[in-house]
Amino acid sequence: MDLTPEFRNALCEIFGRYAKKGNDFLDENELQKFAKFTNNKPFTDDELEEIRTNLQCTKEGSLLKEGFIQLYHLQTVSGDDEETWKDLKRHGYNDSLKLVPEAKKHAAMAEGLSDIDPKQS
């Protein structure tokens, strides 16, 4: 999977669900909300450190939007397309990288809830 405009737009939309309004970064709490919804579990301390060390972050350690895109780009070019597609579909995107109507409830959940139970979505 290449970093096409459609892929980038999908990632930016997903990022926007978790970032506080107007921010171009995810703080640790927002990043953990993303991880819990996407993977059904939070990032470990080691995973958070790896993110802060290897991806574009603020000096305070928050993941920048470009770092979020970098995360998925690196995951994809390393040959883990299946994981990337799983995450995109979890967030409501189809094989054409279009947000399906049912997914709008997922977007609202991600924006509005601190503890998302993906089993009930």
Side-chain angles (χ1 to χ4, degrees):
M1 170 185 273
D2 294 322
L3 190 58
T4 63
E6 295 82 7
F7 184 29
R8 185 179 177 84
N9 288 341
L11 294 175
C12 288
E13 188 277 326
I14 293 167
F15 179 91
R17 296 181 195 181
Y18 298 93
K20 292 179 184 158
K21 301 294 181 206
N23 286 346
D24 279 343
F25 60 84
L26 298 175
D27 64 24
E28 186 172 333
N29 184 47
E30 294 161 337
L31 193 55
Q32 292 293 28
K33 285 181 190 179
F34 163 77
K36 287 176 189 175
F37 184 82
T38 305
N39 302 314
N40 297 323
K41 63 180 182 173
F43 288 120
T44 65
D45 289 341
D46 288 342
E47 290 168 327
L48 288 172
E49 185 58 32
E50 187 174 325
I51 286 169
R52 291 182 185 115
T53 302
N54 297 306
L55 303 175
Q56 293 180 34
C57 293
T58 66
K59 60 185 171 188
E60 294 81 18
S62 296
L63 183 65
L64 291 166
K65 185 187 293 186
E66 284 305 313
F68 185 79
I69 293 167
Q70 184 183 16
L71 171 77
Y72 275 98
H73 180 68
L74 291 171
Q75 176 175 281
T76 302
V77 297
S78 72
D80 206 354
D81 282 12
E82 187 176 313
E83 184 68 20
T84 299
W85 278 112
K86 179 188 77 70
D87 293 356
L88 289 166
K89 289 180 178 185
R90 176 78 179 109
H91 282 89
Y93 284 86
N94 65 17
D95 290 336
S96 300
L97 292 174
K98 302 285 184 207
L99 191 59
V100 295
E102 176 185 305
K104 294 191 183 193
K105 73 178 180 182
H106 293 289
M109 284 175 51
E111 288 178 15
L113 297 178
S114 59
D115 291 314
I116 299 169
D117 182 356
K119 294 178 182 116
Q120 294 185 10
S121 55

